[in-house]
Amino acid sequence: MKAVRSARIDTLRGIAVFGILLVNVWGFTYGSGLSRYGMIGEHAALADKLVVFLVAAFAEQKFYPIFAFLFGASFALQTGGRRAAGAQRDDIRMTYLRRVTWLLGCGLLHGTLLWFGDILTVYAVCGFWLATQTGRRLADIAVALRWVVALNVAVTLFMAYITYVLMTLTPDAVAWGVGEGARAHAVYSQGTLIEIAHERLADFWSNLANAAFFVPKVALLFLMGVFSVRLGWLTHPQRHRALWRKVLLAALWVGVPLNLWWGWAALRDAVDPMTGAPLAAFVSMLLEVAGPLQAAGYVAALMCASEPVVATLAQGFAAVGRMALTNYLMQSVLCDLLLQGAGFGLGAVLSHGALVGVSVLIMIGQVLLSRWWMRRHRHGPVETLWRRFTGSSTLWQEQSPQ
């Protein structure tokens, strides 16, 4: 049976690419300190305060869950569920392992050379585990899901302790953190190529060390993506509108209020860390659940949208989603070039509002470039390289069965 692309999935991925940029752009300028948004002070312009609030409330921890969810969905689409068995299943598994091996190498290069917050490395590590689920019955995957949920509960309990520690930091410790944030900002926005490379490498390895607490969440999102395909939630959303409406209502009534609270707490922390840090630490714990819940609401909204609405959104975002890996890596190149000291160093002089303005300009450029490219090619540039290594369709360009 012939497979065709899903406009909803491509559009969802394209939107997530841009959401990721809104969150990542701060790290290219301010580093990996406790306060993602740096310090803006009481007398900052209203536009600067507004963008911190809006990005924190509606973007932070909302879009990487969508990517992880789609990664798991891609796995289910590419491995064909339970349709393959024996030698054919082994061939499918080996092909998938080549894909995640390529992704791991790409992620390590990306993290060390361009962006310390690289997510591809974590996805690849989880992908090696996910490959063990190839060809398994849904009931068996449900057993794995229960173990992953239990692991997430254990990690959450540990993170609750870390949250308590952060809430009880002494003023001297908070002041030290503020000073470290200012130092990192100076290095990234004004440093030399060598200084920035040294800082990035240190931040990347620190990020990998912390990934031990992040991997269980990604694994859970992967499995939810697998279930969404195997049960038809994602591939046939019109048959599951009741489910998606329930998800959307949960996001609106629970996710939105909690995320608005986080936006306010993040803004307070950016304005005055000495008084805002304890509240930000507490609410950030709630964000571990509230962020993915709101992400689920974004997915549900698109699944419930009418065909004309999806078609309109697809005109701007589907091509971006079809070459999402290329666009993700391109964002890192552009942010390094525009914002950091080894490039144009705009991160040292731009306000918070202007940083978001730069992000919007990058988005517009990527929409135009992606539409131009996809009219002439079947796959994005990086996706084409991936295909040559793995010999088949890529994780970022899965197809949806009819």
Side-chain angles (χ1 to χ4, degrees):
M1 186 176 295
K2 186 179 180 179
V4 298
R5 296 202 63 89
S6 166
R8 290 178 191 264
I9 294 177
D10 285 336
T11 300
L12 181 61
R13 188 184 293 106
I15 292 171
V17 167
F18 291 155
I20 289 288
L21 175 60
L22 285 175
V23 176
N24 287 351
V25 68
W26 309 95
F28 286 100
T29 304
Y30 293 100
S32 63
L34 291 177
S35 180
R36 175 185 296 277
Y37 307 101
M39 184 173 177
I40 60 177
E42 288 281 359
H43 302 293
L46 178 61
D48 293 337
K49 294 180 179 179
L50 189 61
V51 296
V52 169
F53 173 78
L54 292 176
V55 170
F58 295 103
E60 188 175 352
Q61 297 242 33
K62 316 300 187 297
F63 292 102
Y64 90 80
I66 295 177
F67 268 123
F69 173 76
L70 291 177
F71 195 108
S74 298
F75 168 82
L77 288 166
Q78 292 164 11
T79 57
R82 289 188 293 136
R83 288 178 293 178
Q88 185 182 8
R89 181 182 59 200
D90 292 339
D91 288 343
I92 291 173
R93 182 186 293 116
M94 291 306 300
T95 298
Y96 191 82
L97 287 173
R98 287 200 301 271
R99 293 171 184 166
V100 294
T101 299
W102 191 98
L103 191 68
L104 178 62
C106 183
L108 290 172
L109 289 174
H110 181 227
T112 54
L113 301 178
L114 294 173
W115 166 231
F116 67 81
D118 167 76
I119 194 67
L120 303 179
T121 306
V122 174
Y123 284 5
V125 169
C126 289
F128 285 113
W129 167 78
L130 190 63
T132 65
Q133 307 300 310
T134 305
R136 298 189 68 188
R137 296 181 304 127
L138 203 57
D140 295 329
I141 297 177
V143 173
L145 178 63
R146 287 194 287 271
W147 281 105
V148 172
V149 168
L151 185 58
N152 272 274
V153 171
V155 170
T156 299
L157 292 175
F158 178 77
M159 295 305 296
Y161 168 74
I162 298 298
T163 299
Y164 169 77
V165 171
L166 293 174
M167 290 178 63
T168 55
L169 288 177
T170 65
D172 287 344
V174 175
W176 178 85
V178 172
E180 275 296 290
R183 183 197 61 79
H185 175 49
V187 171
Y188 279 114
S189 62
Q190 303 174 52
T192 65
L193 184 64
I194 298 299
E195 291 170 338
I196 294 172
H198 183 270
E199 189 77 11
R200 182 193 301 118
L201 197 58
D203 283 343
F204 177 57
W205 291 118
S206 176
N207 191 50
L208 285 184
N210 292 329
F213 306 107
F214 184 58
V215 163
K217 186 188 294 187
V218 172
L220 177 59
L221 291 163
F222 277 11
L223 289 183
M224 293 305 299
V226 172
F227 272 86
S228 75
V229 169
R230 295 284 290 272
L231 297 176
W233 301 339
L234 193 65
T235 52
H236 300 288
Q238 68 279 4
R239 301 178 187 174
H240 303 277
R241 287 188 180 276
L243 170 67
W244 286 119
R245 288 193 185 104
K246 291 177 182 178
V247 172
L248 185 56
L249 286 174
L252 288 173
W253 289 104
V254 180
V256 170
L258 289 176
N259 281 285
L260 289 174
W261 191 13
W262 166 244
W264 179 69
L267 176 58
R268 280 196 58 189
D269 185 44
V271 168
D272 183 7
M274 300 304 294
T275 60
L279 177 65
F282 174 72
V283 185
S284 68
M285 181 68 189
L286 302 179
L287 186 68
E288 295 296 314
V289 174
L293 177 58
Q294 191 156 318
Y298 293 162
V299 176
L302 191 60
M303 293 301 108
C304 291
S306 65
E307 290 300 331
V309 171
V310 173
T312 300
L313 291 172
Q315 290 180 6
F317 298 106
V320 176
R322 290 179 65 188
M323 48 186 282
L325 180 55
T326 295
N327 282 314
Y328 173 67
L329 297 175
M330 187 190 306
Q331 288 171 359
S332 296
V333 172
L334 290 174
C335 286
D336 280 355
L337 177 64
L338 295 173
L339 303 178
Q340 296 189 347
F344 290 100
L346 296 179
V349 296
L350 292 180
S351 66
H352 284 57
L355 278 176
V356 172
V358 168
S359 301
V360 172
L361 290 176
I362 292 175
M363 294 176 195
I364 294 172
Q366 289 192 315
V367 167
L368 297 175
L369 178 61
S370 297
R371 294 181 64 179
W372 176 84
W373 183 274
M374 296 312 300
R375 283 196 296 266
R376 293 161 175 80
H377 306 274
R378 292 185 60 190
H379 311 285
V382 180
E383 287 80 0
T384 298
L385 292 175
W386 198 347
R387 287 173 61 84
R388 289 178 180 175
F389 179 81
T390 63
S392 187
S393 61
T394 70
L395 302 175
W396 298 75
Q397 291 188 284
E398 81 282 344
Q399 295 181 312
S400 176
Q402 294 296 295

